[in-house]
Amino acid sequence: FVTLSQSMKDVLTQTHGVMGGPVAVIPGCIDSARFHPPADRSALRNRLGLRQEQKVILTVRNLVARMNLDSLIQAMPAVIQACPGAVLCIAGAGPLSSQLAALVRRSRLDEFVRFLGRLDEELLPQWYGAADLFVMPSVSEPFGLTPFEAIGYGTPSLISKQSGVSEVLANCLKVDFWDVDEMANQMAAVLRYDSLRDELHANSWRE
């Protein structure tokens, strides 16, 4: 048997009782030759309708409970207070789309949260490259390649400590999925300090 992370190996052996042979952990990866930061980020943001000075948080998720997008939305008021005009862009589709949209309305965040729907293979790299920060706040995640993809396109990542990818990705920000306040603090720090953003991305790209 092969799993992508130690956490999934534990689930396989302890929860499902797979004891019939060795279980190897082989983390996922991306082909770095296929990924590169945008040559002209300003032009890219113009094409996507983003203001040059606007701070953009991107997440690419199926809209299901395990992805913990409600916590990410709940963190946004504190982020906006620290970084006025910041916007959260949610790419993806799923059964919680109406529920999450209602949460945005109740929280009076309509101006600050955008639902992009499911992005095709041409648009997704553009959004990765235009964002200031990628966030994967999952309650659980067998591995999760999207932070690597974001880094490949020039954007640092904030991931949950409970995701499988947190076992192998060192140069990123990490937070417990349930800690909304710390999630907001870390997002705001990256948006406020370009030097932190640039350092995070440079280190993660080398990694």
Side-chain angles (χ1 to χ4, degrees):
F1 294 95
V2 175
T3 68
L4 291 169
S5 62
Q6 180 63 43
S7 59
M8 284 308 299
K9 177 180 178 179
D10 293 341
V11 169
L12 196 64
T13 57
Q14 298 172 16
T15 303
H16 297 291
V18 175
M19 308 296 289
V23 179
V25 177
I26 303 178
C29 62
I30 61 171
D31 179 0
S32 60
R34 294 181 52 212
F35 295 82
H36 51 84
D40 189 340
R41 193 161 178 262
S42 295
L44 180 58
R45 289 175 72 106
N46 284 336
R47 283 202 303 273
L48 296 175
L50 300 170
R51 300 192 308 274
Q52 295 301 321
E53 74 280 3
Q54 190 170 36
K55 298 300 184 179
V56 178
I57 300 165
L58 175 68
T59 189
V60 180
R61 308 273 79 201
N62 291 322
L63 307 190
V64 297
R66 180 172 61 84
M67 301 306 177
N68 197 34
L69 295 175
D70 52 345
S71 292
L72 182 55
I73 291 169
Q74 289 163 13
M76 282 304 294
V79 173
I80 294 162
Q81 185 174 12
C83 305
V87 62
L88 168 63
C89 296
I90 300 174
L96 292 187
S97 57
S98 296
Q99 182 177 325
L100 292 170
L103 174 60
V104 168
R105 289 192 297 272
R106 289 197 307 273
S107 305
R108 299 183 178 179
L109 292 171
D110 304 72
E111 183 181 349
F112 306 102
V113 179
R114 294 176 58 181
F115 291 94
L116 305 178
R118 196 178 301 278
L119 299 179
D120 61 30
E121 292 185 2
E122 180 181 353
L123 273 177
L124 182 56
Q126 296 181 43
W127 278 97
Y128 275 137
D132 294 284
L133 177 67
F134 178 82
V135 181
M136 189 180 77
S138 306
V139 171
S140 65
E141 192 77 39
F143 190 72
L145 282 176
T146 48
F148 285 115
E149 293 176 351
I151 291 165
Y153 286 115
T155 301
S157 291
L158 166 62
I159 63 177
S160 74
K161 295 178 181 179
Q162 290 71 32
S163 62
V165 70
S166 69
E167 299 173 12
V168 297
L169 184 57
N171 288 288
C172 67
L173 298 176
K174 300 180 184 181
V175 65
D176 289 309
F177 74 84
W178 45 262
D179 195 339
V180 174
D181 291 340
E182 182 59 19
M183 193 183 300
N185 288 339
Q186 294 197 28
M187 289 192 290
V190 174
L191 299 186
R192 292 181 65 189
Y193 301 107
D194 290 343
S195 59
L196 173 59
R197 179 193 185 277
D198 294 343
E199 181 180 1
L200 276 171
H201 177 257
N203 291 340
S204 60
W205 181 248
R206 283 195 295 269
E207 181 184 353

